[in-house]
Amino acid sequence: MDASASTTSVQPGAAQAANVPHRWRNLAVVSGVSVVDGTEAGLINTVFPTLAVALRLNSGHLGLIAALGKIASVPAGPFWIWLSGRIGRRATLAATTVTGGLFGIAAGFSQNFVQLLICCTLMSAAVIGGSPIAMAVIADSFPDEQRARANGIFFSSLQLAGIVLGPIMAAFVAMQDGWRWALWTLGGVCIVAGFVVLAFFKDPGIGAAEQQLADLTREDRAKAKVTFVSVIGLFRIPTYAVMMLSRLLSGHLLILIFGVQFLVTERGIPNSTAILVALPFGIGYSVATLGAGFILPRLDRLMPSRGRVVMLQFAQIAFGVIAFFGTQFRYETITVYAVFWALLGACQGLNPPVNRPIVAAVVLPELRGQAFAIWLTVFETIGWALFSLLAGALAAAIGIQGVFFWVLVVLMIVNGLLLSVLYFTYPRDVGRVSETLDVRRRQTLSD
């Protein structure tokens, strides 16, 4: 059924759903926290060529650091969501970034690979908790038709911050022991960010942006309890299952781990110059993410329940095609690589404003935190870990360019074809959620 049909009888809550209190301030807070958490988590990838010289490491060590950090995130993500149900999302969000900052500072004191590996693994397990909480908060703050724009703003701000921080990271690399100072500095910023959360974040409450629930009290909206059975039931949602499998096949994430290393080791570009390629990548990502957030609602109106699937599928296939031309041929100037990195960033940037609202639309409000935790910290993490380990090992045999061909090109096109299933499952799953919320509203009002 058309998901919009089930909302015709629940207009009384539309005004409240479209104007959840403190939503823009909350978006700014979770965006800021995610900026510092993400920058700290990805810092090792950026400064690794310089760090590798200092500690005598190679690409295999980078793959192991990335892989173990992701493996540790598998239980950590659901744990943080469980904790948020006990102490609240505000306190948990602060705890994740403060803990991550402390481990980041500790990593800056590492004297050997083992110490670095332990600290980076614990840091990754800490900061991962902020991602599913932020996604659930955005879903509870903005109604479905506004979530693409909110996610576009959220993720574009992350990339714009990366554009600003790129030259700063390059300056750290040029310093003696600059990688240590970078870790210490960002660790301190993470701790400060935790106190910002405590001061300014206001939890909107579960289901605050649903038309069927928005005009109900917070207590009535929270009556549906999360159980082990209900969490396991997420995998019986066809659209959610497809999104999980797609996440395992998302090879484009590898460009964030080995992109700089590829340019340095296989194209002979200096580390300080290769880092600057993050600038066009970030610009492409930011423009596409922000633009998709405003274009998607119009596409949804033209192709109800299927417009976002078209955009998501296009993003995967286009990434694979551009990656083929950008990584499988040698170019003489960094400018050419900058153009390809900008296009790759744009394709990758199309994903967040689309895939997050897709997941939010097919999952009941009380289960969204768990759904995002499983999706982003379990399935995505498993994919990252496998890609990191295999890429680090295979790079020694076939080179990073060879790894990029199979992962960034072939696998991404396969991923895009898989998403065709959503044309059939997504409209039905959205309709089921709308019907369930309609029933909840009628039952609450009749009590």
Side-chain angles (χ1 to χ4, degrees):
M1 64 174 290
D2 189 336
S4 63
S6 65
T7 65
T8 57
S9 62
V10 293
Q11 292 304 314
Q16 292 92 327
N19 295 281
V20 175
H22 312 296
R23 58 180 184 157
W24 292 110
R25 185 172 72 181
N26 286 339
L27 180 61
V29 171
V30 296
S31 297
V33 171
S34 297
V35 164
V36 295
D37 284 352
T39 303
E40 184 182 47
L43 182 61
I44 292 297
N45 303 330
T46 302
V47 302
F48 186 79
T50 302
L51 185 157
V53 174
L55 298 184
R56 299 179 181 179
L57 308 179
N58 55 43
S59 295
H61 292 102
L62 175 59
L64 187 58
I65 290 173
L68 287 187
K70 292 300 178 181
I71 290 173
S73 299
V74 171
F79 164 76
W80 288 115
I81 290 297
W82 171 85
L83 184 63
S84 71
R86 299 301 184 275
I87 67 174
R89 294 190 288 196
R90 173 173 167 269
T92 305
L93 191 60
T96 63
T97 189
V98 169
T99 305
L102 292 174
F103 284 125
I105 292 173
F109 289 99
S110 300
Q111 299 300 313
N112 54 55
F113 176 67
V114 174
Q115 294 175 6
L116 181 70
L117 181 63
I118 292 173
C119 291
C120 288
T121 299
L122 294 174
M123 176 181 67
S124 296
V127 299
I128 196 64
S131 180
I133 292 176
M135 294 299 95
V137 167
I138 290 175
D140 287 329
S141 301
F142 297 87
D144 180 72
E145 63 272 15
Q146 296 180 18
R147 286 174 190 152
R149 182 176 57 159
N151 278 283
I153 294 172
F154 175 84
F155 285 98
S156 64
S157 68
L158 266 60
Q159 285 301 316
L160 288 173
I163 292 172
V164 175
L165 292 173
I168 297 176
M169 293 303 102
F172 273 116
V173 168
M175 297 167 51
Q176 183 176 2
D177 288 332
W179 63 274
R180 296 185 187 275
W181 286 103
L183 284 166
W184 294 334
T185 301
L186 283 174
V189 173
C190 281
I191 294 174
V192 172
F195 289 98
V196 171
V197 171
L198 295 177
F200 296 102
F201 178 76
K202 303 293 183 182
D203 196 330
I206 302 297
E210 301 300 327
Q211 290 189 16
Q212 296 94 329
L213 308 178
D215 60 339
L216 304 180
T217 66
R218 183 180 291 233
E219 291 74 20
D220 286 334
R221 296 200 309 264
K223 281 183 177 179
K225 301 300 181 183
V226 176
T227 65
F228 178 77
V229 173
S230 64
V231 173
I232 295 300
L234 290 170
F235 294 96
R236 294 196 294 271
I237 303 172
T239 296
Y240 186 74
V242 172
M243 296 298 287
M244 297 303 98
L245 180 57
S246 175
R247 209 62 181 176
L248 286 177
L249 300 178
S250 294
H252 65 272
L253 302 173
L254 200 66
I255 195 73
L256 300 177
I257 300 176
F258 287 95
V260 172
Q261 185 76 349
F262 165 77
L263 294 175
V264 173
T265 60
E266 302 215 4
R267 296 298 184 259
I269 299 172
N271 189 188
S272 58
T273 303
I275 289 176
L276 298 179
V277 177
L279 177 64
F281 183 94
I283 292 174
Y285 187 107
S286 299
V287 171
T289 299
L290 194 60
F294 288 90
I295 293 173
L296 190 60
R298 294 175 174 82
L299 189 60
D300 278 338
R301 286 194 291 270
L302 291 174
M303 306 174 64
S305 299
R306 292 181 173 85
R308 55 188 65 181
V309 179
V310 171
M311 182 175 289
L312 186 61
Q313 186 174 48
F314 169 79
Q316 316 313 307
I317 296 176
F319 187 98
V321 173
I322 294 169
F324 174 74
F325 291 102
T327 66
Q328 300 305 303
F329 300 91
R330 180 179 293 272
Y331 303 102
E332 297 301 323
T333 66
I334 188 64
T335 303
V336 178
Y337 290 107
V339 172
F340 279 114
W341 253 244
L343 294 174
L344 290 173
C347 291
Q348 193 164 335
L350 290 175
N351 285 276
V354 187
N355 56 25
R356 269 68 172 179
I358 285 178
V359 172
V362 301
V363 174
L364 292 170
E366 69 274 9
L367 290 170
R368 284 173 186 154
Q370 289 75 11
F372 283 120
I374 294 171
W375 182 39
L376 299 175
T377 69
V378 177
F379 276 76
E380 178 180 297
T381 295
I382 291 173
W384 273 72
L386 291 175
F387 289 136
S388 300
L389 284 173
L390 291 175
L394 290 176
I398 64 175
I400 300 179
Q401 177 175 314
V403 173
F404 278 3
F405 172 75
W406 289 107
V407 177
L408 300 186
V409 180
V410 175
L411 195 61
M412 286 303 297
I413 293 177
V414 171
N415 193 1
L417 296 177
L418 166 71
L419 294 173
S420 298
V421 178
L422 296 180
Y423 290 114
F424 306 97
T425 65
Y426 180 68
R428 293 198 297 266
D429 291 335
V430 172
R432 291 191 189 101
V433 170
S434 295
E435 290 173 357
T436 301
L437 295 182
D438 283 344
V439 171
R440 285 186 185 178
R441 177 181 178 82
R442 289 194 297 269
Q443 290 175 343
T444 300
L445 295 178
S446 64
D447 289 343

